[in-house]
Amino acid sequence: MKRAKLFGYLFLFIWKLIQSALIADCQGVTTFPPVGVHEKNPTQIAFLNATIVVSPNQRLTNATLWVENGIIKAVGSKIPIPSSVYTVDLKGRWIFPAFIEPYYPVGNSDAKPADIKPPKYWNPAVSPENKVINYLSKAFPAIYDLRKNGFGAAHCVPDDGIFRGNGCFVLLQDGLTNSQVLKPECSQNLSFNKGKSPEDYPGSLMGAIALMRQTFLDASWYRDTWKVYQNNPKLPKPEFNLSLQQLQEFMAGTNPYVFQAQNTLEMLRMAKISQEFDLKKLICVGTPFDYEWAKPISATKMACILPMNTPKPIYADNPLDYLNVSLGQLRRWEQSPKNPVYLLAQDISISFTTNQLDKETTFWKQLYKFLEYGLTEEQALAALTTQPARWFGVEKQLGTIEAGKIANFIITSGNIFYQNATILETWVQGNQTIIQSVPSIDPRGTYVAILGNSNVSLTISGTLSEPKAEIEQAGNKYKTKITWQNPTLKIESDDFPDRLNLALSPEVNGLVGVRYIQTKPSPISFTKQKSFQDTLLKPVTVIPNAVSSPITFPNKAYGRTVYPLSESLLFKNATVWSNTEKGILTETDVFIAQGKIQKVGKNLSIPGAKVVEASGKHLTNGIIDEHSHIAITGGVNEGTQSVTAEVRIGDVIDPTDINIYRQLSGGVTTSQLLHGSANCIGGQAALVKLRWGKTPEEYKIEQAPLFIKFALGENVKQSNWGDKYSVRYPQTRLGVEQIFRDAFQTAKEYEKNLLSNNTLNSYPVRRDLELDAIVEILQKKRFITCHSYVQSEILTLMRVAESFGFQVNTFTHILEGYKIANEMKKHGVNASTFSDWWAYKYEVIDAIPQNAALLLRKGIATAINSDDPEMGRRLNQEAAKSIKYAGLSKEESWKMVTYYPAKMLHLDNKLGTIEPGKDADLVIWSQEPLSIYAIAEQTYVDGALLYDAQESRKQSDAIEQERIQLIEKMRKSAQTNGSTLPTEEIKEEYSCGGHGH
């Protein structure tokens, strides 16, 4: 009985030991059942004698890292380690924090939960409720490639749509378990790309921006509506919308919004939305070219995730092929490897993503390139560890090697930022992945052994992962092959006498092992004579003067390094086209300062003013193009619906369009950038000055009047556009009128609801960006510019406007305007027309070149416009055509591209005439501006010289020299770094309609 009792105690004691081991082995792990036998890895392990990089700014030598149950227990020097802890001597090895992938798309798989389909947002491109964690286990690809590059965690994101949904933060272990998910919802992911949505809308960049703005407004309205209901449950229950429910909850939190940009300017557009809706944190996935707008990016306080790809050098056998390669492309090839350095210099927080790397470019190759261009090791490590950890709220768990944090680290052969250093192991949550098997003792060096009657010298060099061996005996060297098969080095030489075949294991002072002669083993010992000096493991050399080309704004031909200042200038003895009752003034002086015209007169003397001698020159206002489509990106039409008053051209201004500079060279200083003519009610216009070298927002005229584009005719009804477009209402001109009446009536009712909605016992009115713009028309705060041709439709729209109590501001094109000039005058509308376009489609069959003069003589303010980027730079000649066709006076003809467009754009208080108080938008012409021989020698905007013909010619020569130098540099690089073929960089140019004017 006593023996049985003793046996029972012994069994209980052993069981308790086993149970304790199992508990220790499963600390914080998972409810997932094991597949096969249980893992029995050590639960405590200490790495000794390593160089430990604790953080980007802290490094310990001969230090210890102690890990227990996947958590760092201690790190430092002289840490006492209990004998029960498994130890590994890492003498000569380094330990770094494992890297973090900040943007890892895993797709919007059809593995989303499909059994529950609650009401969602009306547009499929908006899915903020989507959670990538719900289908991560099915969609997450093999992660070994990330681990072998040193990554231990990743921010995983959905990658389709405008509102893409919630990203999650995971540890990169094989097989997704609960313990690997650090944050199941840690970001809302956005883009301006609607992706796979079957809905036509949005069909343009400005449409995507409008949809995003409307969605944020809807989420706020949804929140407020439910608050009212909770306070007054007797009200009708509001609709439940899963998308808006999730978004408004996210907006109330602190997690970041992560925006994937297709170009750098989209980042600035997203920053503007972020500011409008007070989004707490914005992280943008940028481009290799973000440095081009580094200062504006810095001002937004956003963080940037940088793709690691950079352009490959372009190579062509035929030098003529380089004519298709722009200066901008050449500069980007040279400058983009310095992208991280440029951004950090502007105090922009950065990280790196691997997801856009192509198959030919490795992570380390590209990181070394960044180091060559000046990125420091500390900056690189911070970008790969502490920055993304902080952004996604896991800095208390990851990013550095500190006690209490998750055991995510990498063991390397040396400083990993040195060339030829190797990642040996990646540890994730205390679990090891062997990346490169190498000897525990460095076998490289020079050895001697005795074979027969003579000494044999063995030299092992190369890298730890790819060693090289050389055998020498009696002055003869022999070819050898060496392979590392843990724990043995196999060295073979067919040339050596008796065919040398060794299997050696490294020891501190040498190599011991076996020599095989015809499969018969015999012991052999090599004594180390000299340790290997690893000259391959060395820091990356920073390339001096790696970038020679300047960064300009925009970063292409004729860009500016510095925007010109507005000067105090005195133009002397010019022929001044005043556009006032004073007419054309000869030998007259004009003084400008602070961007304004200060004085006009003869024999002016202004102390301190810079004198511009203008004898024999003509001085005029800058030309105003009332109808332009330059400097627009992402589509000029949101043609998916008949009414798209919510979209704004001001959201998609492209300050890099070379047509801006070209039109400055033609004397144009101001343009109305209009939506196209694919819709009855199109988008909101942007009034801009051509401030070449500024950001998109800086192009906009301050406190400019509000305009919107309407359209009539073939472009609107689309009945002859083919099957793709034939389904959209309206299909007739009768339907066009009905669209207008319906839109204005709906807006009136919406306006009434807004005004009456002021009680606590009623739900807030849902803000509608489309109706907001139309209400502004009814309130005479926004003006209509309407695309038009046929007299009947023109009359119809005027009647519709009068029935709703407002006027149409401008009919543009208006090629049948001469037929109804009396009615137009009575209505009070302006006209903006072509000089002599006709017969380009049946709608304009009755166009005549006398149209502009006939309208003007009826007392209708009339402008000549371009609607074309090429015509925009010769509007002075277009204005002169009315002299030829209709005998119009020179002054009146000139006013049609200066004063009258200023008047119809409600800018005549600051533009259109040369008199004190007006903006100093001026042009010096070589001769009378209406002449076909006239050259715009200088163009000033706000008193700043933005175009100088003489300087432009010098720039052209400098541009050609820079191109030659960059092409030669690129061709040399292509010989060693691979290359791509030349491709022409094409900027899409727009006119009024996608299918015609």
Side-chain angles (χ1 to χ4, degrees), residues 469-483:
E470 182 179 88
I471 297 287
E472 183 177 351
Q473 185 180 41
N476 297 315
K477 295 181 179 181
Y478 300 95
K479 294 180 179 179
T480 59
K481 177 184 177 184
I482 182 170
T483 55

Side-chain angles (χ1 to χ4, degrees), residues 309-515:
N309 56 306
T310 53
K312 289 183 172 60
I314 298 169
Y315 187 87
D317 291 325
N318 186 349
L320 292 177
D321 290 340
Y322 286 102
L323 294 175
N324 292 327
V325 182
S326 71
L327 178 62
Q329 288 173 285
L330 294 170
R331 283 183 177 174
R332 283 184 164 189
W333 165 77
E334 186 193 44
Q335 295 166 347
S336 58
K338 205 167 182 176
N339 187 36
V341 175
Y342 286 133
L343 296 184
L344 287 168
Q346 296 296 327
D347 295 324
I348 298 168
S349 177
I350 68 167
S351 184
F352 297 122
T353 179
T354 63
N355 81 83
Q356 294 183 30
L357 284 172
D358 58 42
K359 294 180 180 179
E360 299 175 7
T361 307
T362 66
F363 166 74
W364 285 105
K365 178 181 178 181
Q366 202 62 21
L367 189 63
Y368 289 150
K369 180 179 282 190
F370 290 154
L371 294 170
E372 287 176 345
Y373 278 68
L375 187 70
T376 68
E377 295 175 20
E378 293 78 11
Q379 290 170 335
L381 185 59
L384 292 165
T385 56
T386 54
Q387 294 290 29
R390 179 173 55 83
W391 293 348
F392 297 106
V394 294
E395 69 272 24
K396 292 182 179 179
Q397 299 155 289
L398 295 174
T400 59
I401 299 178
E402 297 178 88
K405 290 193 173 183
I406 295 172
N408 272 30
F409 56 90
I410 56 176
I411 299 174
T412 68
S413 62
N415 186 338
I416 195 58
F417 297 110
Y418 280 20
Q419 290 175 325
N420 296 308
T422 305
I423 295 177
L424 306 177
E425 301 172 15
T426 299
W427 288 71
V428 178
Q429 210 173 12
N431 293 306
Q432 176 195 43
T433 299
I434 296 175
I435 307 300
Q436 183 67 60
S437 180
V438 297
S440 57
I441 298 176
D442 189 343
R444 294 175 297 176
T446 302
Y447 301 84
V448 172
I450 298 175
L451 285 179
N453 297 321
S454 63
N455 290 342
V456 173
S457 173
L458 168 64
T459 300
I460 302 176
S461 59
T463 65
L464 279 174
S465 57
E466 296 181 3
K468 298 177 182 179
E470 182 179 88
I471 297 287
E472 183 177 351
Q473 185 180 41
N476 297 315
K477 295 181 179 181
Y478 300 95
K479 294 180 179 179
T480 59
K481 177 184 177 184
I482 182 170
T483 55
W484 165 244
Q485 296 178 350
N486 191 21
T488 306
L489 286 161
K490 293 193 66 177
I491 301 174
E492 300 172 89
S493 176
D494 292 339
D495 295 338
F496 192 84
D498 299 326
R499 296 184 64 184
L500 189 65
N501 190 336
L502 305 173
L504 303 172
S505 296
E507 292 187 347
V508 174
N509 296 315
L511 298 170
V512 295
V514 178
R515 178 189 180 194

Side-chain angles (χ1 to χ4, degrees), residues 185 439 572 597 640 658 812 814:
E185 298 177 31
K572 295 289 291 183
I597 298 169
T640 55
I658 192 60
T812 191
I814 194 69

Side-chain angles (χ1 to χ4, degrees), residues 201-220:
Y201 184 90
S204 66
L205 174 59
M206 58 183 158
I209 293 171
L211 178 58
M212 185 179 287
R213 294 179 65 238
Q214 184 65 64
T215 304
F216 278 121
L217 284 172
D218 287 348
S220 297

